[in-house]
Amino acid sequence: MAIDLYESAKACFELTSRDPQLTLLRDILDTGKMALAEQRYSDAIGYFDEAIGDIRGNLLSTVSLYRACAFELAGHYQMAYNDACSAIKCASASADGYLQAGKLLLLQDNLREAALIYGKGVSAVPRSDPGHSALQSMARTVAAEIDRGNAWRLPYDVISTIIALLPLKDRVQFAATSKYWRNYLYKCPAMWHTLDILPELSTYSMNQLMSSAARQHVRKLKLYSKEALSLVARYGWDNIESLVLDIGDWLGSDALVRQVFQMNHRNLRKLALHKSPLLGSNSFLADVLAACPRITHLALDTHPSDNLVPPSIHSQSLSPLPDTLFAITHLYITDARVAGYLPLLLQRCPELRHLALAKHNSLRNDGSILRTIHKWCPHICSFRYGIPSLVKSYRPPGLLLSEEKNCGDGLRYLAYFPYDGGTVDDDLAPVIESNHNTLEAVYLDMSAIVGRTFRSVTALISLGAAHLRELQLYNYILTGFGITSPEISPTHLCGIFQACAALEVVNLRRVNAVNNEVLDVLGGLRHLKRVHLAFKSYSTTSVLFTKNGIRHFFEKTESLQEFHFHTENPFVTDDILYAVGGHKGLQRLELWSDSSLDVKGVHSFATEMQDSNLTHVVLRAPPYLQLAPNDFSTLAIVRKLMYLEIRGYKESGVTKHNLLAVFFQQRLSRSARLTVILKREAVTEEYISDQWLDHCSTPRILPKIKLTECDHHQPTEWMW
């Protein structure tokens, strides 16, 4: 293809007759041209050298091009190209220099530089020049060849899938790599299907991007500013199916919001409004549901910094909801201002499957919510209720977020965290009794649920839950408010574990009833994979189990893969490490303290775990973590260890460099790559074993993150 391009360039290049009209130079030029015709190239170059020395102005350009021809035919392409560039410099408005330079670049297979030369020529040469059309033709031909070379030899659906996985910024940068990809991607539906118009975009960039978008392909949209919302209205984006509005300044946006809703009333299925004062309007929610009757996912969220109190809006003063049944299947409400609609709204949502509610003072009776759901939502399969931070932080397992097919009715996920301390045992018990055969994940705050009869717990024990895989029991929401309630007993815990044999994840936080008997029954669960124990303090006087009791638990359970232990007060690790040591199946160990962590017993632990499956060890005590250097290096003998995180470490006596040097030397004969995270004060550094051993010890500084309590359920947009 390069040969074809060269032939085209050769045909386009013909030196325009530029007679110097100088008798003194005519003979020299004629003699040089004769030598060129007779293939005496060296003699021709000499004659033209003599002529160039005396020529000034445009004549130099003509002679330079002749010499370039001589260099080209002699095989000296770079010298010929230099002469062509000199010709361009002397006569920038003449096409001959650009055509010759482009031809020489094509001879060297340098298509991109040739395209640039031809492009400059098209811009610099007047249209009246006979060579202008030849420049345009060559520019198009070379650009087409570059595009063919850039073309990705993959099926269309594969390219679309890849594009859809990229963030919008990367998609735009990808499209900017060439004209081929720009034309291809800007017509591709995947390019515009999901747009997250970030707030850091300037007004100009935002306008450029949104004006270029193929509006018929935009399906999912997330906006952070009124400017972006106004552009949606201006450019008529009317095929939006999922819309998230997280606008900081809503002032004056009421009409825009309603206009966008009206434009998309036939297609809009998912709507999320964050920190919107429009929700305080007596008629806004009614207007939304009237304008967009096909909405299936609705999220109305209060920003944590709003500190809103329930408005003085009573259900009698609210605009009536449309007198029809709604298609809502997912409902997420953390905004107190719409609480007045809740009882009536639930009655109008017979297909509701997922419900998340933040507890507010406007919802006075926790039990009434349960009764309302039990009566009007027969198809619900997940329910979260409690203070806003917990509603946002805990989400259903992944299987509940997918499209359910033939899953039947029945509650599968329950997260219940009442707010004001009123026990709701009698209202919760019927829910458990009716759904014990379908429950798969249960999160409960026992301090606000258990009553004198423990009816809910008794129902779970007597009826069992054959499909329950995850159980998390809490007992700390009311701590510090002077509210006390009966504690769940070890007998209750043993009964729950025996009745729910399919449990894989058990999380007990501030549940003080954990004793050796409870650990023994817990260790007997055949499918147990993850255990999280959290206490206000850990010592022989503050807990009911012994180090031998927890050692027996690890000896008994074979399926356990992760163990997390968290305490709020100072904590010495020797008992826990003694208990864990020797468990060959454990893959992840996390020890946390909110106060200080004194890491002891590491040597014997590492020796016992040397041939185990342990890959991750996390030691976290942000205020202060004490670890002996020798113990630290001993961890390196654990063969499969891939990740070691130490947060709160203080240097004392031994420098960080020496500490890591000894540690990584222990890994010299190990094949597994090891990552070490060291956090001291506000700086978090990442070290990689093979890089360190290759004498590249400069760490990567990690960004600040908000740590959560060893929980895999990170805050997420549950609706989407």
Side-chain angles (χ1 to χ4, degrees):
M1 185 59 68
I3 295 175
D4 295 338
L5 286 173
Y6 168 68
E7 293 299 330
S8 299
K10 185 177 179 181
C12 290
F13 174 66
E14 294 180 1
L15 285 176
T16 307
S17 176
R18 299 179 185 276
D19 191 349
Q21 298 179 356
L22 296 175
T23 305
L24 182 63
L25 297 177
R26 187 181 302 277
D27 292 340
I28 299 177
L29 291 175
D30 289 342
T31 305
K33 286 188 281 185
M34 185 179 297
L36 182 61
E38 294 173 355
Q39 299 184 356
R40 292 184 292 110
Y41 304 129
S42 298
D43 294 341
I45 292 171
Y47 290 124
F48 295 139
D49 281 338
E50 182 180 353
I52 287 173
D54 298 325
I55 295 174
R56 297 292 184 268
N58 289 337
L59 295 178
L60 180 59
S61 172
T62 302
V63 179
S64 295
L65 289 174
Y66 277 120
R67 189 171 69 171
C69 287
F71 277 129
E72 175 193 338
L73 295 173
H76 305 307
Y77 297 143
Q78 186 58 45
M79 298 177 71
Y81 176 71
N82 292 339
D83 274 346
C85 291
S86 297
I88 293 173
K89 185 176 180 181
C90 294
S92 59
S94 172
D96 294 334
Y98 299 104
L99 290 170
Q100 175 70 345
K103 182 180 70 169
L104 290 164
L105 288 169
L106 293 177
L107 276 172
Q108 302 175 69
D109 292 327
N110 195 337
L111 274 66
R112 294 188 179 276
E113 289 296 325
L116 291 174
I117 285 290
Y118 288 131
K120 290 179 180 178
V122 170
S123 302
V125 176
R127 292 182 180 272
S128 58
D129 190 299
H132 187 272
S133 60
L135 284 171
Q136 286 184 317
S137 175
M138 288 307 302
R140 288 193 296 266
T141 304
V142 174
E145 177 61 21
I146 292 174
D147 287 343
R148 281 192 292 271
N150 285 339
W152 206 343
R153 309 302 181 186
L154 286 176
Y156 176 82
D157 57 339
V158 175
I159 296 177
S160 298
T161 302
I162 294 173
I163 297 303
L165 294 174
L166 294 175
L168 178 59
K169 180 180 179 181
D170 292 343
R171 278 178 264 161
V172 173
Q173 290 177 342
F174 189 7
T177 55
S178 70
K179 289 184 179 179
Y180 171 84
W181 279 115
R182 177 182 173 85
N183 294 334
Y184 184 95
L185 293 177
Y186 273 47
K187 297 175 183 177
C188 178
M191 177 74 178
W192 309 110
H193 183 275
T194 303
L195 298 182
D196 192 351
I197 310 297
L198 297 175
E200 54 263 26
L201 280 177
S202 66
T203 302
Y204 174 80
S205 299
M206 187 185 303
N207 194 9
Q208 288 290 101
L209 174 66
M210 298 181 71
S211 63
S212 303
R215 66 182 182 87
Q216 69 272 20
H217 298 317
V218 179
R219 295 293 183 270
K220 296 182 178 181
L221 184 61
K222 194 169 186 178
L223 304 177
Y224 300 89
S225 66
K226 288 188 298 185
E227 291 78 10
L229 188 64
S230 65
L231 292 174
V232 170
R234 179 193 301 176
Y235 295 122
W237 291 8
D238 55 2
N239 289 288
I240 300 172
E241 297 175 357
S242 173
L243 178 61
V244 178
L245 299 180
D246 192 358
I247 298 174
D249 180 13
W250 285 86
L251 187 62
S253 61
D254 192 353
L256 275 176
V257 172
R258 296 175 191 271
Q259 181 182 352
V260 172
F261 287 168
Q262 189 60 42
M263 288 166 47
N264 294 276
H265 71 280
R266 290 187 178 89
N267 300 304
L268 193 61
R269 298 292 187 274
K270 300 179 180 180
L271 173 64
L273 297 178
H274 298 287
K275 50 193 175 186
S276 171
L278 302 178
L279 298 174
S281 167
N282 290 21
S283 62
F284 183 75
L285 183 59
D287 294 345
V288 169
L289 294 175
C292 306
R294 300 182 182 182
I295 286 180
T296 59
H297 294 57
L298 181 61
L300 307 173
D301 184 22
T302 298
H303 191 269
S305 63
D306 286 351
N307 295 322
L308 294 171
V309 296
S312 57
I313 298 178
H314 304 287
S315 57
Q316 293 81 3
S317 63
L318 295 171
S319 297
L321 295 175
D323 190 15
T324 183
L325 297 179
F326 304 127
I328 297 175
T329 59
H330 293 62
L331 184 60
Y332 179 102
I333 298 178
T334 66
D335 197 307
R337 294 167 292 190
V338 297
Y341 277 112
L342 189 60
L344 183 58
L345 183 60
L346 293 181
Q347 296 178 35
R348 303 284 180 86
C349 301
E351 300 301 321
L352 189 66
R353 304 192 65 81
H354 302 278
L355 176 62
L357 300 175
K359 168 64 176 167
H360 292 284
N361 291 334
S362 53
L363 301 176
R364 298 293 180 183
N365 191 325
D366 292 310
S368 67
I369 300 298
L370 287 171
R371 292 193 294 271
T372 302
I373 294 170
H374 192 58
K375 179 178 180 181
W376 295 106
C377 305
H379 303 295
I380 195 166
C381 66
S382 72
F383 174 51
R384 289 184 295 161
Y385 178 76
I387 60 178
S389 60
L390 288 175
V391 169
K392 294 179 182 181
S393 297
Y394 293 94
R395 58 180 176 84
L399 63 96
L400 294 177
L401 298 176
S402 60
E403 294 294 333
E404 298 98 355
K405 296 181 179 179
N406 302 320
C407 64
D409 296 330
L411 190 64
R412 296 158 63 190
Y413 174 91
L414 173 64
Y416 199 73
F417 303 93
Y419 187 67
D420 57 9
T423 58
V424 292
D425 196 26
D426 290 338
D427 297 302
L428 180 62
V431 175
I432 294 178
E433 291 167 357
S434 302
N435 299 280
H436 69 95
N437 284 326
T438 58
L439 282 172
E440 296 181 12
V442 174
Y443 296 178
L444 297 175
D445 173 33
M446 303 308 296
S447 63
I449 290 174
V450 296
R452 295 181 181 277
T453 60
F454 293 92
R455 182 180 169 188
S456 301
V457 174
T458 303
L460 191 59
I461 294 173
S462 60
L463 298 175
H467 301 287
L468 188 64
R469 295 180 304 170
E470 183 168 351
L471 176 66
Q472 301 201 24
L473 303 180
Y474 302 77
N475 195 33
Y476 63 74
I477 293 180
L478 303 179
T479 303
F481 292 93
I483 300 174
T484 59
S485 59
E487 285 274 2
I488 189 171
S489 69
T491 304
H492 287 134
L493 287 179
C494 291
I496 292 173
F497 297 150
Q498 291 168 345
C500 306
L503 278 171
E504 298 177 7
V505 179
V506 173
N507 190 331
L508 304 176
R509 302 190 185 188
R510 290 194 177 182
V511 178
N512 298 323
V514 179
N515 59 12
N516 288 346
E517 182 184 0
V518 171
L519 290 174
D520 180 67
V521 177
L522 183 62
L525 294 174
R526 297 177 57 187
H527 306 287
L528 189 64
K529 295 180 180 178
R530 179 158 62 96
V531 171
H532 183 165
L533 300 178
F535 302 94
K536 184 173 180 62
S537 62
Y538 173 71
S539 66
T540 55
T541 59
S542 60
V543 295
L544 301 179
F545 59 87
T546 64
K547 71 174 185 179
N548 289 326
I550 197 167
R551 172 80 178 197
H552 176 69
F553 160 75
F554 279 100
E555 292 173 346
K556 189 172 183 179
T557 179
E558 297 180 356
S559 58
L560 190 67
Q561 298 176 3
E562 300 182 26
F563 182 71
H564 307 260
F565 192 89
H566 181 202
T567 179
E568 299 176 26
N569 291 337
F571 170 42
V572 181
T573 64
D574 51 354
D575 286 356
I576 300 299
L577 293 181
Y578 162 77
V580 176
H583 193 286
K584 301 302 181 183
L586 193 69
Q587 299 176 12
R588 186 181 186 95
L589 174 65
E590 293 195 13
L591 303 180
W592 277 44
S593 173
D594 293 338
S595 179
S596 65
L597 192 65
D598 188 1
V599 183
K600 293 184 178 180
V602 176
H603 188 275
S604 58
F605 166 77
T607 302
E608 288 188 282
M609 300 297 286
Q610 183 171 352
D611 297 317
S612 69
N613 292 325
L614 188 66
T615 59
H616 288 67
V617 173
V618 178
L619 305 173
R620 291 179 179 174
Y624 181 74
L625 185 146
Q626 183 175 347
L627 175 64
N630 291 337
D631 286 345
F632 177 76
S633 61
T634 304
L635 285 171
I637 69 174
V638 180
R639 298 183 187 278
K640 294 185 179 181
L641 187 64
M642 298 172 57
Y643 181 89
L644 174 61
E645 180 178 329
I646 298 178
R647 292 182 180 267
Y649 169 71
K650 309 287 186 182
E651 287 187 7
S652 57
V654 180
T655 66
K656 174 186 64 178
H657 185 277
N658 293 337
L659 188 69
L660 289 169
V662 174
F663 180 82
F664 283 130
Q665 282 300 321
Q666 293 279 355
R667 303 293 297 184
L668 192 58
S669 60
R670 317 296 178 188
S671 58
R673 190 187 200 205
L674 176 60
T675 300
V676 175
I677 305 294
L678 285 182
K679 184 177 188 304
R680 298 172 302 152
E681 298 178 351
V683 179
T684 304
E685 301 171 336
E686 179 187 71
Y687 298 86
I688 310 296
S689 58
D690 50 4
Q691 294 177 3
W692 182 280
L693 296 174
D694 290 337
H695 307 290
C696 299
S697 58
T698 302
R700 181 169 73 97
I701 305 300
L702 300 182
K704 292 183 180 180
I705 59 173
K706 182 178 180 181
L707 299 178
T708 57
E709 279 190 28
C710 309
D711 206 316
H712 289 196
H713 295 293
Q714 299 295 335
T716 186
E717 289 191 28
W718 175 61
M719 298 290 292
W720 319 109

